[in-house]
Amino acid sequence: MQIPHDGYVLVADGQKMLFFRNEGDEAFPNLEIVSAMEHEDAKTRDQGTDTPGRSAAGSAAGASGMSVKAGRSAYEPTDFHTIEEQRFAAEAADMLKRRALANEYEKLLIVAPAATLGELRKHYHTEVQKRLVGEIAKDLTNHPVDEIEKIIAGT
């Protein structure tokens, strides 16, 4: 996936976001950081203290009209880490929208894991969609910039 000179690249996951401008060209990108943001996700024990709820439906009438014991079941525990990652992706999409509306970039490439890309897509503003030249479904947030450049250039 190639990004033109002065195009922008967002490299993000559920906790970290790097926003670059390409000072190079399509064949040899030279990514310069414009902004970076990292969200510290609290430990699970600090995010929720209650155990998952339980449901006790009691007795119910079966098809033959006889009383049937319905039993008990537990609700799925809330995944606070996933909720925070979704919130962070929404914040990243909002940043892209604000910068697009301010005409800070014309071309945009987004590199993120598939789950983060899916969450970002839910929040794309039409101005962001117009500027989007491509997406790469990879987690590169902890890679050195030169590796990100090589992957973008396709080498």
Side-chain angles (χ1 to χ4, degrees):
M1 188 65 55
Q2 296 183 333
I3 187 75
H5 177 72
D6 278 340
Y8 281 71
V9 178
L10 175 71
V11 177
D13 63 13
Q15 295 181 328
K16 188 174 182 181
M17 171 176 52
L18 305 167
F19 197 54
F20 297 99
R21 180 178 49 247
N22 184 13
E23 297 293 332
D25 58 22
E26 291 180 2
F28 300 101
N30 179 20
L31 301 180
E32 296 292 326
I33 193 127
V34 174
S35 67
M37 188 167 79
E38 191 163 356
H39 174 71
E40 289 298 322
D41 197 8
K43 293 182 171 136
T44 302
R45 70 173 182 260
D46 297 333
Q47 291 182 355
T49 57
D50 290 342
T51 58
R54 297 191 78 72
S55 170
S59 297
S64 64
M66 296 183 63
S67 181
V68 177
K69 186 104 174 160
R72 297 172 50 101
S73 66
Y75 293 106
E76 282 291 318
T78 302
D79 187 345
F80 292 106
H81 296 289
T82 300
I83 292 169
E84 284 302 312
E85 289 175 1
Q86 291 169 344
R87 185 175 296 134
F88 190 75
E91 288 176 23
D94 186 60
M95 180 274 299
L96 292 174
K97 176 185 83 170
R98 284 184 278 111
R99 288 179 180 257
L101 293 174
N103 288 318
E104 291 184 25
Y105 64 90
E106 289 298 317
K107 303 290 182 190
L108 175 67
L109 172 67
I110 297 179
V111 182
T116 303
L117 272 177
E119 194 60 34
L120 282 167
R121 288 178 188 136
K122 292 178 189 178
H123 302 283
Y124 283 165
H125 186 273
T126 54
E127 286 302 315
V128 173
Q129 289 175 334
K130 287 180 190 176
R131 291 164 164 74
L132 194 61
V133 295
E135 297 174 328
I136 299 174
K138 288 187 181 221
D139 186 357
L140 300 180
T141 54
N142 294 317
H143 286 64
V145 176
D146 62 327
E147 275 188 44
I148 295 170
E149 292 169 347
K150 287 176 186 175
I151 290 168
I152 289 171
T155 59

